[in-house]
Amino acid sequence: MLRPLDLRHVISPGLRDLIELANTHDFDRVQEQVRNLHGCTRPVSLHGWTITTDQTTKEVIRSYRSEDEPTGRLLTTCGNRRASRCPACSRVYAADTYHLIKAGLSGGKNVAETVRDHPRAFVTLTAPSFGRVHRNTDSAGKPRRCRCGTQHADDDPALSTPLNPATYDYAGAVLWNAHAGQLWARFTTYLRRALAKHFGITQKALNAALRVSFAKVAEYQKRGLVHFHAVIRFDGPDGHTTPPPAWATFDVLKAAVGLAVERARLTVESDAIGERVIAWGRRFKVDPITALGDGELTDARVAEYTDAKVAGYIAKYATKNAEGAGTVDRTLMCRPCAGRGYVPGPSRLPNRCADCHGTGQAEPIKDLPVQQHVRQMIRTAWDLGHLPEFAELKLWKWAHMLGFRGHFSSKSRAYSTTLGALRDVRRAWRLAQAEAARTRAGHPTTDETTLVTASSWTYLSSGYRPGEELLAAQVRHDIAHTQRLKQEGLVPA
C-alpha cells in the first residue's frame, strides 16, 4: 500500500498533482490516456462501463470499466471543430471535411470516380455593401489609395472598418448575417428554378433528368460579414452514380447561378428599423473545377482550381469561427438568466440576476478586447435581439458571432459521404486493430454479427487535472516538433 504523500512544500498545483499521479499504481496508463488524446485541449471525463459478449457462446469478448483506471475515469477527446478552442480536434475535423469534399469532386469513399467528369463549379457568394469601408486595393485586387487619403498597409487594423461609422448600416449588416443561412436555402431553390426555366421544362421534369449536388462553407470577411464558398456539381437523376445529361454544361450552371443570385431575396419587416431586403451582393464568382492535382488554395482568385486545392480551402474554413472578423469566440449571454437579466424569484416574480446585475451579459460589451467596429456590430445584434419582431432569431445568443446563426459547413444529401460515415470507418479500423491484437494473443477469432455490446456512461467534467495538463503540454510539444521536422525534411513525411 502506498504511503500518503506530504506535498505541502510543493507550491505549484500542477507539479503537486503530477507527483500524485506518478504515485498511482499505474502511471504508465495515465500517460497512455493523455497520449491517446493527441493534444486535445479540453477532453471529456466519463464514468461507466462497456461489455461485449458473444450471444452464441456467452463468452465475454471485450470489457472495460472506468473504475479500473488509475484516476477512476475515462478521458475522451472533445471533438470540437473550432481551431480557436481545440487545434487537435479541429485538425481531425478538417481532415474529415477534406475527404468529404474531395470525394465529391474526384470519387472515392463510396462515391463513383466518374464524378470528376461531371460539370463542377467553385462558387463564391458575398454580402452586399452596408457602407463604405477603408480599403487598400481596387475590385481587381490592385493596390490603391483609400478614400480617406491613406495608403493602408496590409496589416492596418483600420482596413474593412467603416469610413463613416455614423452612416454605416449596422442593423442591416447584422440582419444579413442572421438570415444568411435562409438566403442560401433560397438560393438553392432559385438555382433549380433557373435551370428549369433555361431549358424550358418544369421543375418536376428537371428533377427526373438532373440532380444538383453541393457542399458549402461560410467564411467571415474582415468587415464582419459572412460569405459562402460552395462546390456545385451536376449529376444524373440517381446522383453521383449516373452522368448528367449532355445539355447540362458548366456554362448553363454559371448562367443559372447568376440568375439565382439576382432573384433570391428575403424581406424583413420591423417597426423599429423599417423594412429590409436581404439579398446577395453584386460580386460573385463562378469558376470551373476542371483539373486534378494537389496543392493548397490560399487565395480564391487563383487561375486554376483543382479538386485537392478546393477541398483543402473549404476544409480550412470549416474549422474557423468568427475570429477572422476580430470578434470573441464565446457567447456573451449570461447563462443563469439566459440573457434576460432576471431570474424567477421565490414568489415567481422576476428578480434581477446576481451574476450579470440585470444586463443579461456574461461580460460587458464595452469591456471586450475588440475593435470599435466589431463592438458596434455586437451591440447592434444584442439590441435587435431584444425587439419582439426578432425574438425568434435569439440574436443576443449569437451576438458574439455578429448575428450569424447558421452552420459553417453543410452539403446536400447526395453530394458525397458523410462525416458520420467517415467516423464509423475510423471506429471499425480501431476495432479491427483490437481484434488483431486478440488474435496475436492466442484468443479465437469472433463473428462480429453475433456480438452484442451493452454500456452505460455518465458525464463527469471537461478538462484535465493540473498534472495531466502538464503531460498534455508535453504531448502537444512533441507533435509540433515532429511536424516541424517533417516540414524540414529531416524525417519521412
Side-chain angles (χ1 to χ4, degrees):
M1 180 176 179
L2 296 175
R3 292 183 303 172
L5 295 174
D6 184 4
L7 301 176
R8 289 176 293 179
H9 61 286
V10 181
I11 299 177
S12 169
L15 183 56
R16 187 186 307 126
D17 187 58
L18 182 59
I19 295 174
E20 291 179 354
L21 290 173
N23 198 52
T24 59
H25 66 274
D26 193 353
F27 183 53
D28 289 339
R29 174 56 185 165
V30 174
Q31 293 176 292
E32 181 186 12
Q33 272 214 79
V34 175
R35 278 197 307 271
N36 290 342
L37 298 174
H38 303 290
C40 177
T41 304
R42 192 171 173 80
V44 177
S45 298
L46 300 174
H47 180 272
W49 55 269
T50 180
I51 183 171
T52 300
T53 58
D54 190 323
Q55 288 294 91
T56 304
T57 64
K58 304 303 180 181
E59 178 189 3
V60 176
I61 305 301
R62 293 183 293 269
S63 65
Y64 173 86
R65 295 191 314 164
S66 61
E67 294 176 356
D68 298 332
E69 296 288 354
T71 59
R73 75 203 201 287
L74 172 67
L75 291 178
T76 184
T77 54
C78 67
N80 200 312
R81 69 160 187 87
R82 288 182 288 176
S84 60
R85 287 299 180 92
C86 184
C89 291
S90 73
R91 284 193 294 267
V92 176
Y93 186 90
D96 286 348
T97 302
Y98 173 85
H99 289 292
L100 184 151
I101 299 297
K102 193 171 185 296
L105 291 172
S106 55
K109 311 295 182 185
N110 296 324
V111 178
E113 293 186 358
T114 53
V115 294
R116 63 184 60 180
D117 300 322
H118 295 195
R120 306 167 300 168
F122 185 55
V123 179
T124 300
L125 305 177
T126 63
S129 172
F130 295 97
R132 297 188 182 277
V133 296
H134 292 275
R135 299 187 60 182
N136 62 354
T137 59
D138 58 17
S139 58
K142 296 180 180 180
R144 76 163 193 184
R145 188 175 296 276
C146 181
R147 292 179 180 271
C148 68
T150 304
Q151 181 62 53
H152 297 288
D154 291 339
D155 58 351
D156 191 337
L159 283 176
S160 300
T161 61
L163 284 168
N164 186 358
T167 60
Y168 191 82
D169 186 8
Y170 280 101
V174 168
L175 288 175
W176 196 95
N177 276 348
H179 292 87
Q182 297 178 42
L183 188 61
W184 167 261
R186 187 70 58 91
F187 164 79
T188 59
T189 299
Y190 276 95
L191 179 62
R192 296 179 177 91
R193 291 180 181 177
L195 289 169
K197 182 177 180 181
H198 179 86
F199 297 119
I201 58 178
T202 63
Q203 291 190 62
K204 184 177 181 180
L206 177 73
N207 294 335
L210 177 69
R211 182 191 288 264
V212 181
S213 301
F214 66 84
K216 62 93 172 157
V217 66
E219 176 190 356
Y220 272 87
Q221 295 174 310
K222 289 185 178 180
R223 57 179 176 149
L225 293 161
V226 296
H227 64 289
F228 294 109
H229 298 295
V231 173
I232 301 180
R233 187 188 71 217
F234 279 162
D235 294 329
D238 296 328
H240 57 80
T241 57
T242 55
W247 38 263
T249 63
F250 169 78
D251 291 335
V252 170
L253 175 57
K254 184 175 182 179
V257 168
L259 192 58
V261 166
E262 180 182 346
R263 293 186 175 180
R265 55 190 60 233
L266 302 165
T267 301
V268 178
E269 297 181 353
S270 168
D271 294 336
I273 62 173
E275 182 179 290
R276 299 297 178 97
V277 176
I278 310 297
W280 297 109
R282 292 177 297 175
R283 294 181 181 176
F284 65 93
K285 288 191 66 180
V286 185
D287 296 291
I289 305 173
T290 57
L292 299 176
D294 299 323
E296 182 180 3
L297 181 62
T298 57
D299 191 336
R301 296 173 293 189
V302 299
E304 185 184 54
Y305 294 88
T306 68
D307 53 354
K309 289 180 180 179
V310 170
Y313 190 78
I314 291 180
K316 179 177 70 173
Y317 284 102
T319 64
K320 303 296 182 182
N321 217 38
E323 60 266 21
T327 184
V328 294
D329 67 343
R330 57 192 179 275
T331 182
L332 301 177
M333 180 186 69
C334 176
R335 295 192 181 278
C337 66
R340 298 182 179 88
Y342 62 89
V343 293
S347 58
R348 296 187 178 183
L349 295 176
N351 289 342
R352 192 175 72 164
C353 177
D355 290 74
C356 64
H357 304 289
T359 64
Q361 301 169 12
E363 49 187 313
I365 294 177
K366 62 182 179 63
D367 294 337
L368 295 176
V370 297
Q371 287 187 336
Q372 182 58 35
H373 171 60
V374 175
R375 191 189 318 279
Q376 187 56 43
M377 288 198 71
I378 293 175
R379 184 177 289 112
T380 301
W382 187 272
D383 294 340
L384 290 176
H386 288 82
L387 294 178
E389 56 266 39
F390 298 131
E392 76 282 357
L393 298 179
K394 298 182 179 179
L395 288 175
W396 65 86
K397 180 180 179 181
W398 303 104
H400 67 295
M401 300 289 289
L402 312 184
F404 181 63
R405 307 173 301 123
H407 293 286
F408 268 79
S409 61
S410 64
K411 71 175 188 68
S412 59
R413 181 174 300 176
Y415 174 78
S416 69
T417 185
T418 65
L419 293 175
L422 293 175
R423 291 164 186 151
D424 289 341
V425 171
R426 194 157 50 238
R427 188 180 302 110
W429 181 86
R430 290 170 179 165
L431 290 176
Q433 294 297 304
E435 185 64 24
R438 278 177 47 84
T439 303
R440 288 193 300 269
H443 298 289
T445 58
T446 58
D447 183 4
E448 292 291 333
T449 61
T450 64
L451 300 184
V452 175
T453 300
S455 61
S456 175
W457 294 102
T458 303
Y459 170 82
L460 293 178
S461 62
S462 294
Y464 292 104
R465 286 176 50 165
E468 292 171 337
E469 181 61 56
L470 295 178
L471 297 175
Q474 181 62 46
V475 171
R476 288 191 283 267
H477 171 78
D478 293 342
I479 293 174
H481 181 65
T482 302
Q483 290 177 340
R484 186 165 58 252
L485 293 179
K486 289 180 179 179
Q487 292 172 356
E488 295 174 357
L490 299 178
V491 296

